[in-house]
């Protein structure tokens, strides 16, 4: 697969399968907003806030989980994440207040899925791959997360119909534990990474990264990506409802987004070996602005949502491989899990705002019109800020300069 063979292929496929479970369960939560609201009467804004906290927590967990994985190895981090994700998901039906939902969905589930997500998995795989293989592997791993959304969205909707929303969440909780046997394929048992020299330690490396203009610009673009994704994954079902269409249109739209992103992720991963990653990112963000503009003037039919899902899905999380590639080019792979985790934190700060402001907009105006305008403007801005990024390696400070 994309010229990956032997151990490189094994670790890549195992990481993709784990991400399929953690991202599939997480990206289907928007389907539970309406049933949760009907059952608890908490209101869309309250539920959106809990999910928005989850967006931020998931991002905040990434650099912490990455730092732990860089120091102690990724196996324990991923196993702990899967267990915490299962616990948070299983506890949600017992929560009947906004605070309770923040604990279960906003904290536990988000911390768990964050510990078993991009930064740790891509970082773990990168340690065992050549520079040429890393971009391709990141695309395949990322595609695993998208495939999880394709699989989990219609399954979750079916479980909600068959078992109720509580039964569906309990089923998802059990399902997450099935990924645990794959952890040893990604991170075989072995000694922790060797202790680095003083000037190559974690925090000097992080300080060096934040002094680099390209790394900051990368964060700004990725912030916009998080805003888009969290807004849509949280509020697309309600947007479909506003248009008078059945819930199945929302679940299948989310599934199509995931399916299209498989192709987009594989394309992005393979393209990093041929083109500059910053140009790939600029093209992706720019295409989102155009697509949202089309959606706003298009008739709101099921076909429109499916076309929108295909177009948006192609770039949905396909931004991850070129973003991770730039971080690796700038700073190497020793602390890739931490440094890429920090870019994911920026992504999820945007995600917090996308999810929460979407709920506020709905309760204030009864629709998402201004959120769509904001989404379009941010996409255009993200396309521009990626262009000045340079992809040459950054020289770490010498021991004498540290």
């Amino acid at each position: 697969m994309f010229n990956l063979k032997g151990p490189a292929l094994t670790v890549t496929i195992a990481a993709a399968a784990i991400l399929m479970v953690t991202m599939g369960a997480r990206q289907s939560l928007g389907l539970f907003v309406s049933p949760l609201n009907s059952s608890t009467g908490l209101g869309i804004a309250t539920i959106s806030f809990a999910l928005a906290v989850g967006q931020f927590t998931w991002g905040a967990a990434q650099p912490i989980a990455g730092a732990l994985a860089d120091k102690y190895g990724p196996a324990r981090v991923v196993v702990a994440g899967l267990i915490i994700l299962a616990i948070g998901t299983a506890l949600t039906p017992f929560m009947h207040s906004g605070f309770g939902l923040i604990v279960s969905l906003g904290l536990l589930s988000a911390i768990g899925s964050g510990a078993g997500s991009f930064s740790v998995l891509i970082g773990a795989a990168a340690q065992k791959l050549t520079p040429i293989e890393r971009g391709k592997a990141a695309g395949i791993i990322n595609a695993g997360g998208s495939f999880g959304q394709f699989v989990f969205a219609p399954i979750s909707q079916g479980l909600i119909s068959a078992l109720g929303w509580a039964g569906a969440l309990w089923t998802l909780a059990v399902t997450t534990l099935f990924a645990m046997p794959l952890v040893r394929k990604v991170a075989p048992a072995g000694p922790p990474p060797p202790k680095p020299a003083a000037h190559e330690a974690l925090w000097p490396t992080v300080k060096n990264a934040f002094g680099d203009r390209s790394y900051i610009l990368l964060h700004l673009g990725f912030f916009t990506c998080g805003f888009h994704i969290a807004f849509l994954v949280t509020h697309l079902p309600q947007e479909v409802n506003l248009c008078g269409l059945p819930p199945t249109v929302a679940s299948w739209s989310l599934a199509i987004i995931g399916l299209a992103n498989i192709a987009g992720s594989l394309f992005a991963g393979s393209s990093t070996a041929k083109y500059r990653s910053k140009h790939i990112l600029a093209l992706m963000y720019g295409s989102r602005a155009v697509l949202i503009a089309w959606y706003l003037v298009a008739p709101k039919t099921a076909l429109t949502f499916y076309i929108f899902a295909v177009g948006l899905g192609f770039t949905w999380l396909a931004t991850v491989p070129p973003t991770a590639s730039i971080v690796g080019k700038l700073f190497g792979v020793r602390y890739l899990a931490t440094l890429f985790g920090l870019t994911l934190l920026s992504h999820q700060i945007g995600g917090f705002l996308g999810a929460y402001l979407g709920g506020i907009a709905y309760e204030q105006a009864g629709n998402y019109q201004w959120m769509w305008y904001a989404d379009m403007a941010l996409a255009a801005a993200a396309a521009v800020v990626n262009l000045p990024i340079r992809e040459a390696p950054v020289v770490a400070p010498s021991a004498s300069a540290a």
Side-chain angles (χ1 to χ4, degrees):
M1 183 179 293
F2 288 93
N3 300 321
L4 296 179
K5 299 178 181 179
L9 181 60
T10 299
V11 69
T12 299
I13 295 301
I18 293 172
L19 191 61
M20 179 190 75
V21 174
T22 59
M23 287 297 291
R26 181 175 172 273
Q27 295 282 53
S28 301
L29 290 177
L31 298 171
F32 292 87
V33 171
S34 182
L36 259 170
N37 185 44
S38 299
S39 177
T40 64
L42 292 173
I44 297 294
T46 297
I47 298 169
S48 296
F49 182 72
L51 293 178
V53 171
Q55 294 288 343
F56 176 79
T57 303
W58 183 86
Q62 296 282 327
I64 296 172
L68 291 172
D70 284 335
K71 185 172 183 179
Y72 301 108
R76 293 178 181 176
V77 175
V78 177
V79 168
L82 291 169
I83 294 172
I84 295 170
L85 172 59
I87 292 172
T89 305
L91 286 178
T92 299
F94 299 102
M95 303 302 183
H96 303 290
S97 66
F99 177 77
L101 290 180
I102 289 171
V103 171
S104 63
L105 294 178
L107 295 176
L108 292 175
S109 294
I111 290 171
S113 58
S117 195
F118 296 106
S119 61
V120 174
L121 294 173
I122 291 178
Q127 304 294 334
K128 302 174 178 63
L129 303 173
T130 67
I132 295 298
E133 293 172 330
R134 288 171 196 151
K136 300 173 184 177
I140 295 170
I141 294 169
N142 197 55
S146 301
F147 186 69
Q149 183 171 329
F150 171 72
V151 171
F152 275 72
I155 289 178
S156 295
Q157 187 65 61
L159 289 171
I160 291 170
S161 299
L163 304 176
W165 65 272
L169 285 172
W170 289 328
T171 303
L172 290 178
V174 173
T175 302
T176 61
L177 298 177
F178 291 159
M180 291 181 68
L182 296 168
V183 174
R184 286 301 179 194
K185 298 293 184 181
V186 178
K195 185 177 181 179
H199 68 286
E200 296 175 339
L202 175 59
W203 297 119
T205 303
V206 171
K207 182 180 178 181
N208 182 44
F210 276 104
D212 184 78
R213 178 170 172 265
S214 294
Y215 188 61
I216 299 300
L217 292 175
L218 196 64
H219 278 246
L220 293 175
F222 221 33
F223 168 92
T224 295
C225 183
F227 188 95
H228 296 158
I229 290 176
F231 167 59
L232 285 166
V233 80
T234 304
H235 297 286
L236 185 63
Q238 192 67 16
E239 174 78 0
V240 168
N241 184 55
L242 287 173
C243 296
L245 298 170
T248 52
V249 173
S251 61
W252 278 110
S253 294
L254 290 173
I256 290 169
I257 287 172
L259 184 64
N261 196 228
I262 295 173
S265 296
L266 295 175
F267 172 79
S270 62
S271 294
T272 57
K274 304 175 184 177
Y275 309 103
R276 288 196 171 190
S277 294
K278 67 176 184 178
H279 292 155
I280 299 171
L281 290 170
L283 182 61
M284 287 181 174
Y285 291 132
S287 71
R288 292 182 186 182
V290 174
L291 188 63
I292 293 168
W294 170 82
Y295 169 78
L296 289 174
V297 299
K300 302 305 183 284
T301 64
L303 180 60
T304 294
F305 278 98
Y306 296 151
I307 294 173
F308 184 64
V310 171
L312 187 69
F314 192 77
T315 68
W316 183 250
L317 280 170
T319 54
V320 168
T323 301
S325 176
I326 290 174
V327 175
K329 289 177 182 177
L330 291 174
F331 308 107
V333 299
R334 175 63 181 86
Y335 296 113
L336 180 60
T338 303
L339 295 175
F340 183 50
L342 288 166
T343 64
L344 284 164
L345 174 57
S346 297
H347 186 279
Q348 293 314 115
I349 292 173
F352 172 86
L353 292 173
Y356 183 49
L357 293 179
I360 294 295
Y362 176 79
E363 295 216 335
Q364 293 292 324
N367 59 56
Y368 296 107
Q369 195 73 11
W370 284 105
M371 286 296 294
W372 288 117
Y373 293 147
D375 222 15
M376 185 167 54
L378 285 172
V384 173
V385 301
N386 272 274
L387 293 176
I389 291 174
R390 64 179 178 79
E391 299 186 37
V394 172
V395 178
S398 64
S400 60

